[in-house]
Amino acid sequence: MGPTRKPNVCRQLSRRALGFFSRDAGVVQRTNLGILRALVCQESTKFKNVWTTHSKSPIAYERGRIYFDNYRCCVSSIASEPRKLYEMPKCSKSEKIEDALLWECPVGEILPNPSDYKSSLIALTAHNWLFRISATTGKVLEKIYLASYCKFRYLSWDTPQEVIAVKSAQNKGSVLARQAGIQQPVLLYLAVFHVLPFSLIGILEINKNIFGNVTDATLSHGILIVMYSSGLVRLYSFQAITEQFMQQKLDLGCACRWGGTAGTVGEAPFGIPCNIKITDTPPLLFEVSSLENAFQIGGHPWHYIITPNKKKQKGVFHICALKDNSLNENLPVVTASGRVVKKNFNLLDDDPEQETFKIVDYEDELDLLSVVAVTQIDAEGKAHLDFHCNEYGTLLKSIPLVESWDVTYSHEVYFDRDLVLHIEQKPSRVFSCYVYQMVCDPAEEETTNRSCEKE
């Protein structure tokens, strides 16, 4: 058990007002977050369901903003009731936004336009346009036409806040080709860009003639990750692939001639040609076998997390050293931000007679582990969100969710400072959003304030 001494919020606020932390912005921020953590976890603090809404289109959440109608409508989650930030003009189904990422201003970089210092939404549309949209007004700031030779569908960060990867849908080929037994050699395409301002790195094709019977591929932290149905995962250096196999360097907005066709790179109808075509197997960095291709890499020193490639091992995770594949059962997980997750959870099988963990996440700013636990009562499930001390694993706070929890539905739960948000997908594509905000019991808060004044 760890120490039970609680931080004195009043004392911390007084010290901050007197300038004790003014010389170091990092210390001020850590102090502020420490105060917020103490307020979140104190007994008098409750999380109240302030509003609930339903939608027939997917609902997404990013940094205090809730997106409806395929990102067309943006609502602030900070207010005690929904406050619309913007609503973009209605569009056809072929022009809807299919995926999006929130970009936030980098620290210490000089940017070309004043608007670049504000958050933007990087959005991919159904008709293969890549937009940069103001996160506060919904105005389109930049746009790029990708291509007509494939259907791009997914956005992800290669390097967070710096490099994005746009992945196409998998190429299944025509019905006639499949009936004739003709396989398409190209499985998918990956378009890679630096962000703000957008600059093209290249578009890479994943070809089965090179990688074999590959089932999926993605890009993360400069590593091309290729996956196979057997559970095999292979890693390659994207930089090495780019240097060896790029056919021609392309620049957005510049004239280009490609395959007998001329146009402007990134503008319709020319788009962006696939300029990285691997003609020989690139050098292999690393390979490992994992159940359902579950694989994560990171930390310092480098480690990776896998699930042993056997069905009975589902829910078991191994943390291994990248340098020699050695298993370390006692090693804490180190996040990309350098924080350490020390508490271990065993995934429980669904059992109506016991409480089961459904979602486990780490709130890095407050250094808390959040756990959604569900108890099945007859046909209805009830859930509560628990906050655990990351250092000692002790339970600090439990927040009951007022809505019922059906384990057959898809659920997402976000804990973001003083906000808890639950997004639920029901059958027939009905989506629900439940917003909880932190409140303090006035009577208990007054007692707490009186005790602080005496110190």
Side-chain angles (χ1 to χ4, degrees):
M1 292 291 293
T4 57
R5 183 177 179 272
K6 294 182 180 180
N8 188 307
V9 171
C10 294
R11 186 164 178 262
Q12 286 181 302
L13 288 171
S14 298
R15 286 170 61 84
R16 187 180 67 178
L18 292 171
F20 276 74
F21 315 115
S22 59
R23 296 180 183 179
D24 189 336
V27 172
V28 173
Q29 174 69 351
R30 287 193 295 274
T31 300
N32 290 342
L33 292 174
I35 292 170
L36 179 58
R37 174 182 160 132
L39 292 172
V40 165
C41 295
Q42 72 182 9
E43 189 175 350
S44 62
T45 300
K46 312 295 181 186
F47 278 78
K48 180 182 178 183
N49 179 213
V50 291
W51 57 277
T52 299
T53 189
H54 308 281
S55 172
K56 292 184 178 180
S57 62
I59 302 172
Y61 173 78
E62 281 283 357
R63 295 281 185 175
R65 299 178 178 91
I66 306 173
Y67 296 94
F68 298 92
D69 196 11
N70 301 111
Y71 293 92
R72 193 177 65 85
C73 179
C74 178
V75 172
S76 172
S77 65
I78 297 173
S80 58
E81 59 183 31
R83 181 172 64 87
K84 187 183 294 184
L85 295 177
Y86 64 81
E87 186 169 1
M88 300 171 69
K90 290 186 177 181
C91 61
S92 65
K93 188 176 180 180
S94 64
E95 297 173 317
K96 71 175 183 178
I97 294 174
E98 293 208 326
D99 202 1
L101 296 171
L102 184 66
W103 181 89
E104 297 179 289
C105 175
V107 177
E109 293 188 24
I110 299 176
L111 302 175
N113 301 305
S115 63
D116 296 341
Y117 289 93
K118 297 181 179 180
S119 299
S120 302
L121 196 69
I122 300 174
L124 174 65
T125 70
H127 60 330
N128 275 6
W129 281 88
L130 190 65
F131 289 163
R132 184 168 72 87
I133 301 168
S134 168
T136 54
T137 66
K139 179 182 178 182
V140 176
L141 304 174
E142 288 184 84
K143 59 181 182 179
I144 300 168
Y145 179 64
L146 295 173
S148 59
Y149 51 82
C150 68
K151 171 72 173 72
F152 284 99
R153 184 163 288 171
Y154 311 102
L155 281 177
S156 63
W157 289 110
D158 171 30
T159 304
Q161 302 296 313
E162 294 181 16
V163 179
I164 60 168
V166 192
K167 186 164 77 170
S168 75
Q170 293 193 6
N171 186 6
K172 304 295 185 182
S174 66
V175 175
L176 292 176
R178 292 199 301 270
Q179 289 175 345
I182 301 173
Q183 290 191 347
Q184 296 293 326
V186 178
L187 177 70
L188 56 84
Y189 295 87
L190 290 167
V192 188
F193 298 87
H194 286 291
V195 293
L196 208 65
F198 278 126
S199 62
L200 175 69
I201 296 175
I203 295 186
L204 165 70
E205 67 173 22
I206 303 299
N207 196 309
K208 292 182 179 180
N209 293 337
I210 301 299
F211 293 104
N213 194 26
V214 56
T215 56
D216 200 4
T218 189
L219 200 62
S220 178
H221 292 84
I223 301 295
L224 175 65
I225 303 173
V226 179
M227 290 158 271
Y228 298 82
S229 59
S230 63
L232 184 67
V233 179
R234 286 178 172 161
L235 276 60
Y236 303 88
S237 167
F238 178 65
Q239 180 179 347
I241 290 172
T242 301
E243 293 172 353
Q244 185 176 355
F245 299 108
M246 182 179 286
Q247 297 179 331
Q248 180 181 333
K249 180 75 171 72
L250 301 176
D251 295 310
L252 296 173
C254 294
C256 174
R257 178 171 290 276
W258 193 279
T261 304
T264 302
V265 178
E267 294 185 4
F270 186 75
I272 305 172
C274 176
N275 63 333
I276 306 175
K277 295 190 177 183
I278 301 174
T279 56
D280 195 9
T281 306
L284 178 67
L285 294 180
F286 177 77
E287 71 175 14
V288 69
S289 182
S290 181
L291 185 66
E292 299 175 351
N293 300 120
F295 175 83
Q296 292 193 22
I297 187 170
H300 179 75
W302 287 97
H303 281 74
Y304 62 90
I305 304 175
I306 61 167
T307 294
N309 199 8
K310 296 179 181 178
K311 288 185 178 180
K312 66 179 181 180
Q313 294 289 315
K314 189 170 184 177
V316 176
F317 302 94
H318 286 181
I319 304 174
C320 304
L322 187 64
K323 65 177 182 179
D324 58 8
N325 299 324
S326 60
L327 175 66
N328 192 331
E329 298 179 356
N330 300 316
L331 184 76
V333 179
V334 184
T335 68
S337 61
R339 295 176 172 88
V340 179
V341 183
K342 296 180 179 177
K343 192 172 187 301
N344 295 319
F345 287 93
N346 293 320
L347 186 65
L348 304 178
D349 293 330
D350 288 338
D351 185 341
E353 300 301 322
Q354 67 176 335
E355 189 177 68
T356 59
F357 295 154
K358 293 301 178 184
I359 301 173
V360 179
D361 201 4
Y362 176 57
E363 216 300 326
D364 59 349
E365 290 185 317
L366 301 185
D367 195 25
L368 292 172
L369 282 172
S370 62
V371 180
V372 176
V374 179
T375 303
Q376 197 72 21
I377 304 172
D378 296 328
E380 186 179 84
K382 297 301 292 184
H384 54 90
L385 178 64
D386 295 339
F387 298 154
H388 292 262
C389 171
N390 180 53
E391 187 170 4
Y392 300 104
T394 50
L395 177 63
L396 301 176
K397 190 81 175 176
S398 186
I399 302 168
L401 302 183
V402 296
E403 64 276 9
S404 61
W405 185 291
D406 191 319
V407 294
T408 64
Y409 297 169
S410 175
H411 299 268
E412 295 175 77
V413 174
Y414 300 91
F415 168 44
D416 191 356
R417 295 191 176 184
D418 62 342
L419 173 83
V420 171
L421 188 136
H422 173 205
I423 298 174
E424 175 185 59
Q425 181 180 350
K426 300 175 182 177
S428 304
R429 291 183 64 81
V430 175
F431 298 84
S432 299
C433 178
Y434 309 89
V435 178
Y436 294 76
Q437 287 186 336
M438 185 177 79
V439 294
C440 292
D441 183 271
E444 293 189 38
E445 186 177 19
E446 185 178 348
T447 302
T448 304
N449 288 339
R450 283 201 300 266
S451 64
C452 287
E453 291 170 2
K454 294 176 184 177
E455 295 184 5

